[in-house]
Amino acid sequence: MKIVVVDYGVGNIHSAIKGLKRFTDNVVLSEDPAEIRAASALVLPGQGAFKTGMEGLRVRGLLEEVKQAAAAGKPILGICLGAQLLLAKGFEFGEHEGLGLLPGKVAHFPALQDGAKIPHMGWNAIEEPTPGKWKGTALEGLRSGAEMYFVHSYILQPTDPAHVLATTLYGGLRFPSVIGKGNMIGCQFHPEKSGEGGLRIIRNFVELI
Amino acid sequence: MKPRVIPRLDIKGSNVVKGIHMEGLRIVGEPRELARKYYEQGADELIAMDIVASLYGRSPDFDLMRSIANELFIPLTMGGGIQSLHDINNFLRAGADKVAINTFAVRRPELLAEAVRQFGSQCIVLSVEAKRDGADSWEAYVDGGREHSGKDAIAWIKQALELGVGEILLTSVDFDGTRKGFDMELLAAVASFCPVPVVIHGGAKDSASLAQAIIEGKADAVCAASILHYDEWTIGDLKKELEDTGIPVRVSDRNGGGHPSSANL
């Protein structure tokens, strides 16, 4: 087994590696297409703008590699920006094409109630949309309502409700905080910064490989 | 957002230290050990500051900071002696999520604007060391609470907000290390206008003092050091008593409250 954390030139990638290394030594950071092709699972970490992220993948020749890994059913974990890139389109600083591994888009938070500030930053609960939804996913074993650490201004909007694995309530808005399908999962929050609950997700992901 | 409970490690050399009014520093423990302990107790975040870096005009020990970060899986604010974007980058590479800047921002406020442009507001925390100098006024101190800056703390915070800082770490030099409760007047003076989260620090006494800062003082987060270092309180006990008084806190049970035995792994 080899997990490749994809280095595509955006920030905040080291803490993801640190989290994975709690559970396995088979983790490498790489921007090399061949190494990514040979991986048994991919992690797309990252923080930053949608366009910068896609551009970072493109210039390194990694767009096709990530798409093929998904087509082959390899486990993929997207974190924050990495989760957003899984969707088809982003609307941060203009309209941009995403990886399109899931239909849907990434859009700015709409106006929120109760003076809720943007970015949405801090601990908030993730909830299971329907009982049993987390079974067999990296969220298995978590309590619905477990709190995770968020820092974001844009939200995941998958087209198909079946791709919403968890939701979070903020400023009167319930938005998808985890999306996924098959072996692919994208977390809007940072599991590697979310204490033991977040580590549980990382451990589950590693054990599902 | 739920109020956060944040332990603070003041670091000098290779030790965690603590004084009173930011003076008379005593060694209270080993950084990694204390960081680990507070993580396990359920800290929502952790602040680690090299408190002599700016005074001695030297770089913080980034290896030590990295070793602290490696113990923890919660957000970290780090700081001490930050003079440049390069220093900020080094802290982020060491594992910080946010950096706290005081002395060199007071000397050159433009540093804050540059830092916000480069790293985003969410990453830049203004650390203010305020010491009362009048009935309703406080002076911002620098170099670990030792030196006058000549700046009015409230005016300085307003200026820094204009420059885009995303959070205020508000320390009362008068109350620091005294364990007599927070400076509620200072907190009120800042919370009354501040649109970004305020972390109050200096004087944490018990859970009631934290509750007062949160409810009356409108603090977004409460920072504690002495009462934790000297084992008068654990973070778990503080949070439990906050919850008992009706203040929602993050429940930091293992596995996010799940039951590992029921998982099909």
Side-chain angles (χ1 to χ4, degrees), chain A residues 18-19 22 117 120-121 123-124 140-143 146-147 149 151 192-197 199-200 203-204 207, chain B residues 1-2 39 44 69-70 72-75 95 97 122 195 250-251 253-260 263-265:
Chain A
K18 188 180 80 178
R22 270 281 288 258
K117 293 166 192 168
H120 172 223
M121 184 168 169
W123 295 87
N124 206 339
E140 180 157 351
L142 284 175
R143 169 176 61 90
E147 289 177 75
Y149 185 74
V151 186
E192 77 282 12
K193 289 285 169 185
S194 297
E196 297 297 311
L199 289 177
R200 177 59 188 264
R203 190 184 103 192
N204 282 345
E207 289 179 356
Chain B
M1 307 253 74
K2 291 177 180 175
Y39 171 72
D44 296 319
N70 284 342
L72 309 179
F73 297 92
I74 49 174
D97 299 282
Q122 83 289 339
R250 177 178 73 99
V251 181
D253 41 1
R254 284 190 78 81
N255 302 319
H259 303 284
N264 181 23
L265 293 171

Side-chain angles (χ1 to χ4, degrees), chain B residues 12-129:
Chain B
K12 181 183 179 185
S14 58
N15 297 304
V16 176
V17 296
K18 191 62 209 176
I20 297 176
H21 310 310
M22 308 186 84
E23 291 180 330
L25 302 174
R26 291 172 54 181
I27 295 173
V28 293
E30 200 269 320
R32 288 194 321 180
E33 217 169 87
L34 286 178
R36 183 81 210 166
K37 178 168 111 176
Y38 299 144
Y39 171 72
E40 287 173 353
Q41 288 181 0
D44 296 319
E45 257 178 69
L46 183 119
I47 296 173
M49 303 285 278
D50 184 323
I51 58 162
V52 293
S54 76
L55 182 67
Y56 297 164
R58 68 182 186 205
S59 287
D61 183 342
F62 291 112
D63 289 333
L64 178 68
M65 290 292 178
R66 186 175 295 105
S67 76
I68 294 170
N70 284 342
E71 298 290 315
L72 309 179
F73 297 92
I74 49 174
L76 301 174
T77 297
M78 292 181 164
I82 291 174
Q83 302 193 33
S84 64
L85 301 184
H86 182 72
D87 289 338
I88 295 172
N89 205 33
N90 278 335
F91 269 113
L92 298 178
R93 292 183 70 85
D97 299 282
K98 302 185 259 189
V99 294
I101 312 178
N102 176 21
T103 305
F104 292 95
V106 168
R107 292 186 190 149
R108 197 175 71 80
E110 191 52 27
L111 173 61
L112 295 176
E114 293 164 7
V116 166
R117 264 199 303 277
Q118 177 85 29
F119 302 103
S121 283
Q122 83 289 339
C123 187
I124 307 302
V125 179
L126 179 73
S127 170
V128 181
E129 292 161 356

Side-chain angles (χ1 to χ4, degrees), chain A residues 39-103:
Chain A
S40 37
L42 299 181
V43 176
L44 282 174
Q47 198 166 291
F50 193 94
K51 182 190 176 193
T52 315
M54 285 305 292
E55 195 58 21
L57 287 172
R58 194 188 61 77
V59 298
R60 288 169 178 78
L62 304 179
L63 286 176
E64 276 314 305
E65 300 304 336
V66 177
K67 286 179 185 175
Q68 281 179 18
K74 289 181 184 173
I76 297 177
L77 169 64
I79 298 172
C80 195
L81 175 63
Q84 296 182 349
L85 298 182
L86 300 177
L87 291 166
K89 274 192 198 308
F91 289 88
E92 188 172 1
F93 303 122
E95 181 179 333
H96 306 285
E97 219 169 285
L99 285 164
L101 303 177
L102 291 172

Side-chain angles (χ1 to χ4, degrees), chain A residues 2-21:
Chain A
K2 189 162 92 178
I3 302 171
V4 173
V5 177
V6 181
D7 179 3
Y8 56 111
V10 296
N12 208 2
I13 48 179
H14 294 281
S15 57
I17 296 170
K18 188 180 80 178
L20 288 157
K21 286 204 166 160

